Amino acid sequence: MKDKALFAIHHDDNQAGVYGIGADQGMYYKLLDRHRPPGSEWLPNKTGWLGMGGAFDSIPSAAVKGLQFRNVVSVDVFGLGLDDQMYQASLAGGEFPLVWPPKVSGWSGIGGVFDGSFDVRGVESGVAAASELIAGLGTDNQPYLKAFTSSDGTLFNSTDWVPVGGILIYEPAIANGVKPSTYEVFGIGTDRQMYMLQVDVSSGSVVAGQWIGIGGCFNSPPVLAQWSSGRVDIFCLGSDNSMYHRARENGAWVNPSWEFLNGVFDSAPAVVSWNPDRLDIFGLGTDDQMYHSAWAGSQWLPWEPIGGSFNSAPVAVSLAPSTLDVFALGKSNDVQHKAWDGSQWLPSQNGWESLGGVFIIPRATRLPSQLDFNWPISFSDGTPLGGSVHVTLFADGRSRYSGYIHDSGFPSYALSVASAVIDRMNRAYTFFNTGHVWGTDLPGSRDFTWMVDSPPNSSLRDNWSDIFACGGPKFGVELQPDPFPPGGLSMW
């Protein structure tokens, strides 16, 4: 599955910025300015890029910051440094459109330690109270949130990084909520289901609800588009690598379940809206060519090939109604671009133009480095045994098998305890141990406690991603006490 390498953001009705990480790991920026005459709309020029410095190991992100006092209008740019801390810089130009060259601030560390890509969502532009929310995954794959808020329309204050629970396997995505300074965060859990978290920063602090499962089984991070403050459309690749869609409007689901949109893809999609009731979707097919579809108000248009051959997932922006700009890394890791001008694809139906540069594809979000499984031991027939069995799996192929069983009754038992974790390809990783517990009939310990560390298993290491199965991996325990009725107890 190909990851994103670029970030593009709509500045105003005729400007957009494109950001990427160069071969030297510095941040680079290009401005598309359609206020300028055709042929001169790329700044610094068609194949040139403005170096912003720094050294980064993630896909960049950015948000437009606009308040009632227009002299603080700027674009905030974010990236993870080589130390995995988040860094921030600004492109300032006073009123939009940004003037060239923009004033570029130095990079400032804003804390945290992160494990992959992240998302930023800003602000209610033009109002006195505004906010900006950043969501990233810590090294424990738990989401952490930071908010920048303003109460007087001039200065922004930031919160500390706030852990909000849960474990995600891909970077989260953020949508603006129905009310000012509220957000909805979407992410994929270890069971590959989509989850949603509602966040309110209107008080100047991060107030988060509980993660709510919203179904599905997915192989890519969520991608969002919004054509109004009360509407969010969510797209993701399912376990079959086809496209799926669901929408919320004014806090309620438009469709009760995930909508199948066909296709088979090798990248997460890029989605953009140029008007209410219009959505355009782009994704790489298994042939690495770009494909396009759209919601045209009453129906989804068929997927169409639009050419090219790419190393990275696409990004897209719309600067005005009926216009589109799409970007991705070509096979030489230069930036390739294609535009829709309202009536035709430019430079042609299947053609793309090079915008120069040599860019890297930063590392994607890492999967969690360990998974834990726990099973409580109890018997419904009154057998006086209790406790728990625990399995920990590690991404490097190691495992730990531990447990505790207590005999609270008269008879003593010889015990056989078998456990298995089964991944989404039906591979079984099995664990076994034996021991004794003593009742009041014989002298000895009533407790059997064990912890067994196993060396790396190459199958577990090489197939780690398959542990994250739809609905979660299967985990079961079989306990055989002796004496005991034939068959023992199987707990799956």
Side-chain angles (χ1 to χ4, degrees), residues 220-238:
S220 77
V223 176
L224 312 180
Q226 293 193 265
W227 68 52
S228 70
S229 60
R231 169 88 181 202
V232 57
D233 287 83
I234 312 157
F235 298 83
C236 214
L237 298 190

Side-chain angles (χ1 to χ4, degrees), residues 370-374 390-394 475:
Q370 73 176 63
L371 281 179
D372 292 277
F373 305 87
N374 192 69
H390 193 88
V391 170
T392 301
L393 303 181
F394 299 93
F475 175 57

Side-chain angles (χ1 to χ4, degrees), residues 27 56 58-61 77-81 85-87 107 118:
M27 185 85 72
F56 298 95
S58 77
I59 304 162
S61 193
V77 187
F78 301 87
L80 296 186
Q85 181 185 181
M86 190 81 73
Y87 287 82
W107 292 98
F118 58 95

Side-chain angles (χ1 to χ4, degrees), residues 282-285 287-292 304-310 326 328 336-338 345 348-352:
F282 301 88
L284 299 188
D287 58 358
D288 290 343
Q289 182 180 189
M290 194 74 71
Y291 288 79
H292 166 254
E304 62 168 342
I306 56 174
S309 185
F310 301 97
V326 191
Q336 295 279 313
H337 168 255
K338 189 184 200 74
W345 289 109
S348 66
Q349 173 68 29
N350 292 307
W352 292 73

Side-chain angles (χ1 to χ4, degrees), residues 13-89:
D13 284 347
N14 283 287
Q15 280 191 340
V18 185
Y19 303 82
I21 306 302
D24 61 355
Q25 295 192 293
M27 185 85 72
Y28 288 83
Y29 168 75
K30 182 186 287 290
L31 179 65
L32 171 57
D33 186 356
R34 290 215 168 94
H35 297 283
R36 298 168 63 88
S40 63
E41 65 267 42
W42 295 107
L43 294 168
N45 54 60
K46 187 172 182 179
T47 59
W49 292 78
L50 175 70
M52 297 179 61
F56 298 95
D57 192 25
S58 77
I59 304 162
S61 193
V64 175
K65 181 186 290 181
L67 297 176
Q68 64 179 359
F69 299 100
R70 296 172 66 86
N71 63 341
V72 299
V73 171
S74 64
V75 181
D76 284 339
V77 187
F78 301 87
L80 296 186
L82 301 186
D83 59 357
D84 292 334
Q85 181 185 181
M86 190 81 73
Y87 287 82
Q88 175 192 19

Side-chain angles (χ1 to χ4, degrees), residues 364-387:
T365 298
R366 299 186 183 104
L367 291 170
S369 59
Q370 73 176 63
L371 281 179
D372 292 277
F373 305 87
N374 192 69
W375 199 288
I377 298 295
S378 64
F379 291 82
S380 60
D381 65 356
T383 300
L385 297 177

Side-chain angles (χ1 to χ4, degrees), residues 254-272:
V254 175
N255 34 8
S257 59
W258 290 94
E259 179 183 15
F260 175 61
L261 299 186
N262 295 297
V264 180
F265 297 91
D266 194 28
S267 78
V271 186
V272 66

Side-chain angles (χ1 to χ4, degrees), residues 78-359:
F78 301 87
L80 296 186
L82 301 186
D83 59 357
D84 292 334
Q85 181 185 181
M86 190 81 73
Y87 287 82
Q88 175 192 19
S90 295
L91 298 174
E95 298 183 15
F96 284 119
L98 285 177
V99 297
W100 188 269
K103 298 176 182 177
V104 181
S105 72
W107 292 98
S108 299
I110 57 173
V113 181
F114 297 92
D115 197 28
S117 301
F118 58 95
D119 194 21
V120 178
R121 178 67 60 167
V123 294
E124 298 84 43
S125 184
V127 297
S131 62
E132 190 172 80
L133 185 69
I134 314 172
L137 297 188
T139 53
D140 56 358
N141 281 74
Q142 179 181 189
Y144 289 76
L145 305 182
K146 177 187 278 285
F148 291 83
T149 62
S150 172
S151 58
D152 62 3
T154 58
L155 299 176
F156 277 78
N157 300 308
S158 67
T159 66
D160 293 329
W161 289 101
V162 177
V164 292
I167 299 176
L168 302 182
I169 63 173
Y170 300 116
E171 63 267 24
I174 310 172
N176 291 106
V178 177
K179 297 179 180 180
S181 296
T182 65
Y183 300 89
E184 293 179 338
V185 183
F186 297 86
I188 310 299
T190 57
D191 58 359
R192 294 191 178 270
Q193 181 183 184
M194 184 91 67
Y195 289 82
M196 180 183 72
L197 178 74
Q198 294 183 316
V199 180
D200 189 329
V201 300
S202 59
S203 66
S205 59
V206 174
V207 179
Q210 298 294 317
W211 288 99
I212 300 170
I214 57 175
C217 179
F218 299 105
N219 281 350
S220 77
V223 176
L224 312 180
Q226 293 193 265
W227 68 52
S228 70
S229 60
R231 169 88 181 202
V232 57
D233 287 83
I234 312 157
F235 298 83
C236 214
L237 298 190
S239 58
D240 56 0
N241 289 331
S242 294
M243 196 76 68
Y244 288 81
H245 164 257
R246 204 172 179 195
R248 282 172 63 79
E249 194 155 17
N250 296 322
W253 291 106
V254 175
N255 34 8
S257 59
W258 290 94
E259 179 183 15
F260 175 61
L261 299 186
N262 295 297
V264 180
F265 297 91
D266 194 28
S267 78
V271 186
V272 66
S273 175
W274 73 45
N275 258 343
D277 228 14
R278 174 73 189 201
L279 294 161
D280 286 83
I281 320 171
F282 301 88
L284 299 188
T286 55
D287 58 358
D288 290 343
Q289 182 180 189
M290 194 74 71
Y291 288 79
H292 166 254
S293 179
W295 172 257
S298 60
Q299 63 179 340
W300 291 102
L301 301 181
W303 289 100
E304 62 168 342
I306 56 174
S309 185
F310 301 97
N311 282 344
S312 76
V315 295
V317 293
S318 175
L319 302 191
S322 299
T323 68
L324 295 165
D325 289 276
V326 191
F327 308 86
L329 292 191
K331 291 301 183 180
S332 298
N333 284 340
D334 61 328
V335 175
Q336 295 279 313
H337 168 255
K338 189 184 200 74
W340 175 260
D341 69 356
S343 61
Q344 62 182 334
W345 289 109
L346 299 173
S348 66
Q349 173 68 29
N350 292 307
W352 292 73
E353 62 176 348
S354 176
L355 301 181
V358 178
F359 293 87

